[in-house]
Amino acid sequence: GRRIEAGEIRIEHLAFSYQPGRPVLERLNLHFEPGSFVGIVGHTGSGKSTLLSLLLRFYAPQQGRITIDGQALDSVPDEAFRSAVGLVPQEPYLMAASARENITMGRPDISEAQMREAARAARIDDFLSALPQGYDTLLGEGGTRVSTGQKQLIAMARALAGAPKILFLDEATSNIDSATEQIVGEALTALRGRVTVVAIAHRLSTIRDADQIVVLNHGHLVERGSHGEL
Ligand code: ATP
Ligand code: MG
């Protein structure tokens, strides 16, 4: 396996079920261009998180294949996969630690400049800089309280600090104010051309500027297009 340089994702004839006879995804064909911004929407239970789990290699599909930069997903070495892929989970966690540690996660290869750049890209630098001790301010349990939306932005900074070629985001479902939701969308849009972004969205405003919006219904692709086309 080679390193992941471009972040092109191809999904061919994908089928997956957790239990035999109960397909969750069926005959799915998708192509995500390198550096494009893809939004995934669909009602609850339509298979959005399942698709993300397959892309993250948490499960293996029973049929079809997924390739990244032309390599079969399961043949990409763990180290190459980890360094190329970032995840912003639906319910991000904060450690009881400084803002800096929450972004770098103790990874020694991340410089102060890279950490700040990631925070700027995630649109959380202004907030963290303005805290009493700036990036040394304790967050999480016993520290400064942050909202769900701010947690998600910090998790985005954490993911971007690793300079991923592909960023997966599972948008938080609760407690995000419309200002923060717009910031998430702007941050993702600004990554266009550099990072392939695949974002599960619960709000259309987050993916308004996506290059491609995939609509899932019961594990089938039902529509695909840009926000203007759908
Ligand atoms: P939501 O918008 O509520 O997050 P979703 O589109 O992410 O929904 P999935 O979580 O992918 O939907 O679920 C798709 C289907 O697979 C649902 O019917 C769900 O009950 C089922 N499912 C999800 N996870 C599992 C699991 N670990 N084991 C068995 N079935 C599961
Ligand atoms: Mg889900």
Side-chain angles (χ1 to χ4, degrees):
R2 292 168 284 123
R3 296 192 66 77
I4 295 166
E5 306 278 358
E8 179 197 38
I9 299 173
R10 203 175 276 283
I11 294 170
E12 294 172 323
H13 311 295
L14 190 73
F16 178 77
S17 57
Y18 292 99
Q19 295 151 297
R22 306 197 60 182
V24 171
L25 297 173
E26 292 187 272
R27 296 188 298 278
L28 210 54
N29 293 293
L30 291 166
H31 179 219
F32 306 156
E33 300 270 6
S36 66
F37 175 10
V38 179
I40 298 179
V41 299
H43 61 79
T44 182
S46 59
K48 305 182 296 295
S49 295
T50 301
L51 176 59
L52 206 58
S53 300
L54 294 175
L55 290 167
L56 285 162
R57 314 204 292 191
F58 297 159
Y59 302 103
Q62 282 95 4
Q63 284 176 48
R65 58 187 227 129
I66 301 173
T67 60
I68 294 192
D69 290 359
Q71 302 180 68
L73 187 62
D74 59 6
S75 76
V76 179
D78 283 344
E79 162 55 21
F81 189 78
R82 260 197 308 275
S83 67
V85 171
L87 170 67
V88 184
Q90 192 163 354
E91 285 170 24
Y93 68 95
L94 284 186
M95 300 186 296
S98 68
R100 174 181 290 99
E101 289 166 299
N102 266 289
I103 295 174
T104 63
M105 301 298 281
R107 290 170 293 182
D109 54 309
I110 296 169
S111 69
E112 181 77 8
Q114 287 167 323
M115 192 259 318
R116 288 295 291 270
E117 179 54 36
R120 272 194 292 274
R123 308 289 199 265
I124 195 70
D125 177 59
D126 287 347
F127 171 76
L128 295 175
S129 302
L131 292 174
Q133 282 93 39
Y135 280 81
D136 293 318
T137 305
L138 181 68
L139 303 181
E141 189 96 11
T144 295
R145 281 187 55 87
V146 298
S147 70
T148 305
Q150 287 166 332
K151 262 189 211 166
Q152 198 150 49
L153 296 175
I154 291 166
M156 195 189 301
R158 183 185 290 159
L160 292 176
K165 292 311 297 176
I166 300 168
L167 183 73
F168 295 117
L169 178 135
D170 203 345
E171 188 177 42
T173 38
S174 58
N175 306 319
I176 294 219
D177 58 87
S178 61
T180 308
E181 139 198 347
Q182 195 180 326
I183 290 170
V184 172
E186 286 170 10
L188 296 177
T189 304
L191 295 171
R192 176 179 284 136
R194 292 178 289 144
V195 182
T196 307
V197 173
V198 180
I200 294 179
H202 303 280
R203 303 164 186 84
L204 221 48
S205 61
T206 308
I207 51 162
R208 186 177 309 281
D209 296 318
D211 300 299
Q212 181 182 180
I213 297 175
V214 172
V215 185
L216 290 181
N217 185 22
H218 295 294
H220 291 272
L221 176 81
V222 289
E223 262 185 297
R224 183 171 43 191
S226 67
H227 183 254
E229 290 160 356
L230 296 180

